[in-house]
């Protein structure tokens, strides 16, 4: 059994697993330019908040390595332009901006162009390595609260391929498989991009975790009929009060959890918090192409001229969240106070886009 990963950096080359081709085609793509990284993010070849941040960091470092500027000030001007370019790829996952901002701040310390190039790559590699360590810790903390359960539901893919490794919401299932702790995971297919049916089912099968696929509309009945004991989901941006943005459909599951009196957990690393935002109403929600909804692949389902609303995320208010599982521990209400105490002030100074 293996825990799949989607981002590889070796011999100075960035390679990603093309998540748009999963589960039937395992295609690895070398990304050699910042434009290729931008395309991979916006087209969801690379997706998942932490994976987006890691890949964008490598993209900025790769782009900078190809700048021709000889003077430091010219290099830094071009670097800022490329930062703005990459930051425009997707608006909701704060990890994108957190990672880019972290590289930009580090590069300010450089005294020469060559030093700046080295710093950017070293920081991208550090972010990549840290995320794997953070996700393993998230898995361990999640096991401490899910360990007595067997039937757990999740949505989208907050898995190993959405991060450096292990994932966030799926981390306890992967770690559980390693130690013989069995879960039965009910995975919502997660229309319209099908991250659940295409990615979560495939990923958990690689790890030997029992997983049953349901349509998003089956969630309430499944909780009732199959005795789902808890729900766990990832996040793309968490505000200072704990309101959490995640894949569209997550809010519905949180409301169902409250109605059925089962716990609802958000699992995310500290890099997913945006303490510049007081609450979830300020989180930008990405709206994607209508074709994702009117078509299945190239086959049109809805009639020509159908009006479409396609928000890729929704925001779960903190009162629906039992706990937020991070690499630094599990944060419980009072979220405003406990997020600040757990994550410290340094997170709050970082960018909010
Ligand atoms: C581990 S964070 C994964 C998070 O990102 C996903 O969004 P997308 O597939 O559009 O990148 C989804 O919201 C997941 O929960």
């Amino acid at each position: 059994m293996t825990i799949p990963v989607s981002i590889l950096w070796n011999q100075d080359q960035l390679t990603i697993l093309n998540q748009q081709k999963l589960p039937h085609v395992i295609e690895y793509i070398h990304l050699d330019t910042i434009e290729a990284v931008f395309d991979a993010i916006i087209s969801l070849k690379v997706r998942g908040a932490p994976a987006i941040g890691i890949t964008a960091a490598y993209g900025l470092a790769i782009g900078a390595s190809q700048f021709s500027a000889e003077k430091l000030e010219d290099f830094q001007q071009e670097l800022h332009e490329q930062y703005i370019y990459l930051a425009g790829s997707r608006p909701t996952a704060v990890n994108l901006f957190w990672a880019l901002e972290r590289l930009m701040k580090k590069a300010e310390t450089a005294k020469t162009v060559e030093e700046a190039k080295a710093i950017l790559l070293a920081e991208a590699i550090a972010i990549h390595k840290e995320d794997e360590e953070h996700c393993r810790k998230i898995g361990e903390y999640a096991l401490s609260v899910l360990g007595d359960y067997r039937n757990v539901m999740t949505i989208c893919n907050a898995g190993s391929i959405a991060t450096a490794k292990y994932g966030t919401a799926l981390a306890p299932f992967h770690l559980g498989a390693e130690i013989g702790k069995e879960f039965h995971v009910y995975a919502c297919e997660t229309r319209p991009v099908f991250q659940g049916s295409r990615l979560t089912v495939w990923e958990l099968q690689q790890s030997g975790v029992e997983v049953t696929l349901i349509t998003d509309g089956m969630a309430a009945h499944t909780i009732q009929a199959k005795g789902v004991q808890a729900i766990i989901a990832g996040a793309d941006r968490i505000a200072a009060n704990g309101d959490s943005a995640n894949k569209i459909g997550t809010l519905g599951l949180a409301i169902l959890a409250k109605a059925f009196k089962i716990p609802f957990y958000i699992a995310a690393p500290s890099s997913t918090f945006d303490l510049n935002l007081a609450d979830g109403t300020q989180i930008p929600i990405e709206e994607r192409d209508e074709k994702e909804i009117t078509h299945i692949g190239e086959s049109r389902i809805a009639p020509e001229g159908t009006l479409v609303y396609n928000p890729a995320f929704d925001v779960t208010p903190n009162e629906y969240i039992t706990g937020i599982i991070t690499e630094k521990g599990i944060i419980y209400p009072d979220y405003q106070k406990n997020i600040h105490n757990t994550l410290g002030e340094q997170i709050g100074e970082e960018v909010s886009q």
Side-chain angles (χ1 to χ4, degrees), residues 21-307:
K21 292 285 184 74
L22 288 175
H24 308 303
V25 174
I26 307 294
E27 179 185 81
Y28 287 93
I29 304 174
H30 299 309
L31 303 180
D32 299 323
T33 65
I34 194 167
E35 292 76 12
V37 168
F38 181 93
D39 166 74
I41 293 171
I42 201 168
S43 62
L44 304 189
K45 294 186 183 74
V46 169
R47 41 122 331 259
I52 290 170
I54 295 163
T55 306
Y58 281 124
L60 191 59
I62 290 166
S65 71
Q66 297 163 3
F67 292 169
S68 55
E70 292 176 4
K71 284 189 331 204
L72 188 58
E73 62 184 297
D74 296 339
F75 174 91
Q76 284 168 343
Q77 174 57 37
E78 194 166 354
L79 184 67
H80 184 78
E81 289 164 8
Q82 295 304 311
Y83 156 67
I84 297 297
Y85 167 65
L86 272 179
S89 54
R90 291 186 75 189
T92 304
V94 72
N95 311 64
L96 169 67
F97 311 102
W98 169 85
L100 292 173
E101 188 68 21
R102 178 167 153 177
L103 263 70
M104 294 299 284
K105 277 181 184 173
K106 273 284 188 183
E108 285 170 8
T109 65
K111 300 289 186 292
T112 67
V113 167
E114 286 317 305
E115 186 187 358
K117 292 180 178 181
I119 285 172
L120 288 163
L121 179 57
E123 204 62 20
I125 293 170
I127 287 172
H128 190 182
K129 181 174 181 293
E130 284 167 23
D131 188 69
E132 178 173 336
E133 294 161 0
H134 292 173
C135 286
R136 187 169 180 96
K137 286 190 186 298
I138 288 168
E140 290 163 359
Y141 281 118
L143 272 177
S144 73
V145 289
L146 297 178
D148 295 338
Y149 299 140
R150 176 164 168 69
N151 301 326
V152 184
M153 184 175 287
T154 192
I155 187 168
C156 197
N157 172 261
S160 186
I161 60 175
T163 65
K165 188 177 180 182
Y166 300 110
T168 55
L170 301 191
F173 309 136
H174 288 307
L175 294 188
E178 287 183 347
I179 60 172
K181 162 61 187 143
E182 289 183 359
F183 287 99
H184 192 111
V185 179
Y186 290 89
C188 296
E189 69 176 353
T190 316
R191 274 190 56 78
V193 179
F194 298 103
Q195 289 94 331
S197 48
R198 291 190 308 110
L199 306 178
T200 289
V201 171
W202 173 81
E203 179 176 320
L204 292 178
Q205 287 177 343
Q206 306 307 305
S207 217
V209 177
E210 268 185 15
V211 54
T212 296
L213 176 63
I214 61 171
T215 66
D216 302 330
M218 293 176 188
H221 174 72
T222 303
I223 291 167
Q224 202 173 42
K226 295 296 182 180
V228 171
Q229 296 160 291
I231 299 174
I232 187 167
D236 293 81
R237 195 182 298 225
I238 303 172
N241 74 338
D243 291 351
S244 297
N246 195 53
K247 187 50 51 195
I248 191 74
T250 305
L251 172 57
L253 292 189
I255 294 169
L256 288 176
K258 196 165 188 107
F260 284 104
K261 296 183 175 54
I262 60 174
F264 177 86
Y265 290 102
I266 289 289
S270 50
S271 53
T272 304
F273 287 74
D274 183 352
L275 303 194
N276 293 302
L277 300 185
D279 59 51
T281 60
Q282 300 167 41
I283 298 175
I285 299 296
E286 177 186 17
E287 291 193 33
R288 293 184 62 85
D289 190 306
E290 63 180 37
K291 195 176 171 187
E292 287 184 350
I293 295 184
T294 57
H295 289 65
I296 299 270
E298 289 310 308
S299 305
R300 170 174 284 279
I301 306 294
E304 295 280 354
T306 300
L307 295 178

Side-chain angles (χ1 to χ4, degrees), residues 323-342:
I324 303 175
I325 304 169
T326 76
E327 74 278 11
K328 297 186 176 184
I330 304 175
I331 303 173
Y332 293 102
D334 169 332
Y335 285 119
Q336 190 79 39
K337 175 169 69 73
N338 293 333
I339 286 172
H340 185 83
N341 292 343
T342 304

